[in-house]
Amino acid sequence: MSAVFRFAGPKLLRAGLSILIVVTFTFVVLRASGDPALQILGPSARAPDLEAFRRHWGLDQPLYVQYVRYVLAALHCDFGNSMLAGKPALQLVFERAPLTLALMLPALALTMLIGIPVGAYAAMHRDTWVDRSVMMLTVFGFTVPSFVLGLLLILIFSVTLGLFPSGGADRPESFVLPVLTLGLGGAAIIARFTRSAMIEVLSQLYIVAASAKGVTWRQVVRHHALPNAIIPVLTLFGLMLGGQVAGAVLVESVFGWPGIGQLLVVSVANRDLAVVQVILLLVALTMTSANLLMDLLYGVFDPRLRGTNSGSQ
Amino acid sequence: MKTATVETNRPPPRSVDLPTLLAVGWVLLMLLTALAAPLMAPYEITSIDLRHRLAPPVGFGGTMLHVLGTDDLGRDVASRLFYSIRTSLLVAFGATAISVLVGTGIGFIAAYFRGLVEHALLLMIDVQASLPFLIVALAMLACFGNSLTLFVALMGLYGWERNARLARGLAITASAQGYASATRQLGAHPLRVYLRHILPNSAATLLVAATVTFPEIVLVESGLSFLGLGVQPPMTSLGVMVAAGREYITRASWMLLAPSLVIVITAVAVSVLGDWLRDKLDPTLK
């Protein structure tokens, strides 16, 4: 038990500190962006009204009191109302969350289902024309920004061929193009990474030993090479999630997908700060927990790492 | 089965291959376009030609009057493209410079002070690394509004954490070496040791890192501009053009394709070039 705690404890502490830093960052940025009283009541507000507003929201208190209050409110998930919709910002974000998840989860699955087999296949046929053309394709896959890829897919599959709708989220076919757009870029990254991890593993002595004792090549790959090559791919997965979140914002905008990403863009354009901060904190929380989970899973998959805490450096 | 033979005798890589040459050519072309945009553009980017609205490019029914066609207001796509390249590269150059400067500064500070300062900075680096930059940038745009200066400064925050981590590592390695401790023993001020001795010795690696940051900033900038939250009209950038082209995707696909192709080719070219530079200049960065 204590060993588990020694392994997980510092990682948990680190995750908590990270969240606190993000909360502090939002507090500082919000306060630095101007007087909230002026912003909400407008430049034509009278001085006594401004004064009353400040007193009501505690803006006349010293900064550290405001900070502590802000952190406490965040802990209670109280982020205020959206200026645009007049509803609690948190509720607004959670209403949109299922649609964004419905986009991201299939995209992540696609990333893995394409990336890992393609990468492993390329590694096993290293330096053949298959390998080279796959690697060429992946360069396009991870350099082409998602909004360009999405629009090109619309141009080909919606405008020219008329196979899939170019936007909206009302039909099952609507999912195809956005999920493809979001998944393909990640798949390219995973494929490249799997390929190099696999090449590394295939040159290990235990692979030679397994082949030498007469295990069939198929089994060597399945039971000896792939499981070892996948471990580093898992950590990459945690890092890639950030790219997927950013990609989702652009992809939702391209396809008119009414998820969190669109909400964010609209809120930024209208400077609806309550909503923006909820989304920022939500992303930070998701990313931190994902990284924490990956760190802990790493210990499960690779028992050698349990005693150390050097993994994150 | 060829796994039993250990592959050590791979042929030595040729110094420059065809893809690299093409990439160099394209990047030079882009730099030239950025510098000479006012000379190359046949029209003003805001000059409206209502009689030739949505004119197709040459080869698709268009005339030499507008080589790449025109947009919904009859503005020349080629001219707008040249100026967009200019804006996008200018923003990226400024931002990359800021990112490398800020990153190097923070990295050196962490390396010099060590202890608590270093831990605090490393934690901030980790937090930034775990957050998608696009989201942070959007949050800051929401709070501070948008102007070109502010936008370049904001883009300059991109990748600072990577540069800081790199600079810190380089500085720690360098200060353990003879020349750094020699100058220190001679009584040089820490600033002098870092700026005159450690910085020049780390510059090559930091520059290679900048070639990685640069194209990524171009992509983030075009993404934000595409969302309508980056470069603002009447200025134009590649993302602004893509966003405008989206509205006319069925009737005038050239409005979308011209800037998209420039983004795609540039991103691929810089990626090829970056790989080559990395192999050439700094084998340790692999």
Side-chain angles (χ1 to χ4, degrees):
Chain A
M1 190 61 207
S2 71
V4 172
F5 188 74
R6 222 177 311 137
F7 174 71
K11 295 189 195 318
L12 277 170
L13 188 69
R14 220 182 163 74
L17 269 177
S18 304
I19 297 292
L20 186 65
I21 288 183
V22 177
V23 173
T24 310
F25 169 79
T26 35
F27 175 78
V28 170
V29 169
L30 280 175
R31 282 295 168 275
S33 67
D35 188 348
L38 264 181
Q39 273 175 19
I40 291 172
L41 297 181
S44 56
R46 293 179 306 126
D49 291 340
L50 287 174
E51 206 52 49
F53 182 89
R54 290 201 186 102
R55 206 167 324 113
H56 183 250
W57 292 104
L59 294 169
D60 52 347
Q61 302 283 322
L63 217 53
Y64 68 91
V65 176
Q66 290 187 37
Y67 173 66
V68 172
R69 278 192 184 170
Y70 182 78
V71 174
L72 286 179
L75 280 177
H76 288 100
C77 292
D78 174 13
F79 299 101
N81 282 352
S82 153
M83 285 190 285
L84 220 55
K87 282 197 281 187
L90 196 67
Q91 184 195 340
L92 212 59
V93 172
F94 278 129
E95 280 171 6
R96 302 288 195 98
L99 270 174
T100 296
L101 284 179
L103 202 60
M104 282 188 72
L105 293 180
L108 282 172
L110 193 72
T111 296
M112 290 287 144
L113 288 179
I114 296 180
I116 293 178
V118 166
Y121 189 83
M124 285 154 59
H125 298 82
R126 190 182 171 188
D127 290 334
T128 61
W129 67 269
V130 184
D131 178 30
R132 284 204 199 94
S133 31
V134 165
M135 284 305 108
M136 278 287 278
L137 268 181
T138 59
V139 173
F140 279 92
F142 74 81
T143 49
V144 176
S146 53
F147 64 98
V148 173
L149 180 64
L151 287 169
L152 293 182
L153 288 179
I154 289 181
L155 195 60
I156 296 171
F157 291 103
S158 306
V159 177
T160 311
L161 299 176
L163 285 177
F164 300 108
S166 64
D170 39 355
R171 282 180 288 166
E173 306 96 272
S174 312
F175 281 78
V176 177
L177 291 184
V179 167
L180 266 183
T181 309
L182 200 53
L184 285 181
I189 299 176
I190 291 281
R192 283 182 84 86
F193 201 75
T194 308
R195 176 179 176 270
S196 52
M198 194 70 176
I199 285 175
E200 174 95 27
V201 167
L202 285 178
S203 70
Q204 298 291 315
L205 282 178
Y206 58 78
I207 299 293
V208 181
S211 324
K213 76 179 183 193
V215 180
T216 61
W217 184 232
R218 177 187 281 267
Q219 277 190 320
V220 172
V221 170
R222 241 202 227 150
H223 298 292
H224 298 267
L226 257 185
N228 282 299
I230 282 179
I231 294 176
V233 175
L234 271 180
T235 28
L236 188 71
F237 195 67
L239 292 174
M240 267 181 45
L241 196 62
Q244 293 279 325
V245 170
V249 175
L250 289 164
V251 169
E252 284 186 8
S253 173
V254 169
F255 290 95
W257 190 269
I260 295 182
Q262 265 214 337
L263 180 67
L264 178 63
V265 173
V266 171
S267 306
V268 170
N270 293 295
R271 305 189 66 177
D272 194 347
L273 299 182
V275 179
V276 173
Q277 64 167 330
V278 170
I279 296 178
L280 181 67
L281 288 176
L282 185 71
V283 170
L285 201 62
T286 314
M287 295 298 304
T288 312
S289 353
N291 283 330
L292 182 69
L293 195 69
M294 287 302 149
D295 264 4
L296 297 179
L297 275 183
Y298 222 48
V300 174
F301 283 117
D302 195 343
R304 288 170 300 179
L305 285 174
R306 275 175 213 167
T308 65
N309 258 313
S310 54
S312 58
Q313 288 296 307
Chain B
M1 196 187 306
K2 61 175 184 181
T3 45
T5 59
V6 180
E7 290 182 68
T8 46
N9 303 331
R10 308 198 63 199
R14 279 176 295 162
S15 56
V16 178
D17 50 2
L18 187 66
T20 312
L21 269 180
L22 287 176
V24 171
W26 180 263
V27 170
L28 285 179
L29 185 69
M30 286 301 104
L31 290 178
L32 190 72
T33 310
L35 286 175
L39 301 177
M40 290 163 69
Y43 299 90
E44 291 285 316
I45 56 166
T46 47
S47 79
I48 293 171
D49 181 359
L50 288 178
R51 276 183 307 169
H52 294 102
R53 291 169 59 199
L54 299 177
V58 168
F60 296 88
T63 56
M64 287 305 284
L65 205 59
H66 298 285
V67 178
L68 289 180
T70 59
D71 67 4
D72 49 318
L73 293 173
R75 297 175 300 189
D76 187 53
V77 169
S79 304
R80 291 182 69 75
L81 196 62
F82 295 154
Y83 273 95
S84 292
I85 293 166
R86 186 183 171 92
T87 315
S88 290
L89 291 196
L90 214 62
V91 170
F93 261 118
T96 309
I98 296 174
S99 168
V100 171
L101 277 180
V102 169
T104 308
I106 291 179
F108 279 4
I109 289 173
Y112 175 68
F113 286 104
R114 309 303 296 257
L116 206 61
V117 175
E118 189 184 25
H119 277 293
L121 288 176
L122 280 178
L123 189 64
M124 282 174 63
I125 287 172
D126 277 358
V127 171
Q128 174 74 73
S130 73
L131 279 177
F133 179 76
L134 190 79
I135 308 286
V136 178
L138 283 173
M140 307 236 323
L141 282 173
C143 289
F144 297 120
N146 196 343
S147 72
L148 190 65
T149 330
L150 206 69
F151 185 62
V152 174
L154 181 59
M155 289 292 101
L157 288 181
Y158 182 87
W160 72 268
E161 81 279 1
R162 263 190 327 211
N163 291 325
R165 208 178 272 167
L166 183 66
R168 170 183 161 268
L170 288 169
I172 288 176
T173 322
S175 31
Q177 280 173 5
Y179 70 88
S181 51
T183 40
R184 210 174 295 123
Q185 299 288 322
L186 284 169
H189 191 270
L191 266 181
R192 188 185 167 85
V193 178
Y194 271 88
L195 294 183
R196 293 292 297 274
H197 297 277
I198 293 182
L199 185 61
N201 278 290
S202 318
T205 316
L206 288 170
L207 279 182
V208 175
T211 64
V212 180
T213 311
F214 183 81
E216 291 177 356
I217 291 183
V218 173
L219 294 187
V220 175
E221 180 271 318
S222 55
L224 282 171
S225 299
F226 171 75
L227 292 174
L229 301 166
V231 173
Q232 299 293 323
M235 283 188 77
T236 174
S237 90
L238 294 171
V240 172
M241 287 185 76
V242 174
R246 171 168 71 159
E247 307 297 322
Y248 292 87
I249 191 167
T250 45
R251 289 165 61 199
S253 51
W254 55 89
M255 273 178 68
L256 170 76
L257 284 175
S260 297
L261 286 181
V262 169
I263 293 177
V264 170
I265 300 175
T266 309
V268 173
V270 174
S271 162
V272 170
L273 201 61
D275 280 352
W276 177 76
L277 261 184
R278 197 168 46 192
D279 293 349
K280 264 263 156 316
L281 285 180
D282 199 326
T284 57
L285 257 182
K286 274 181 189 165

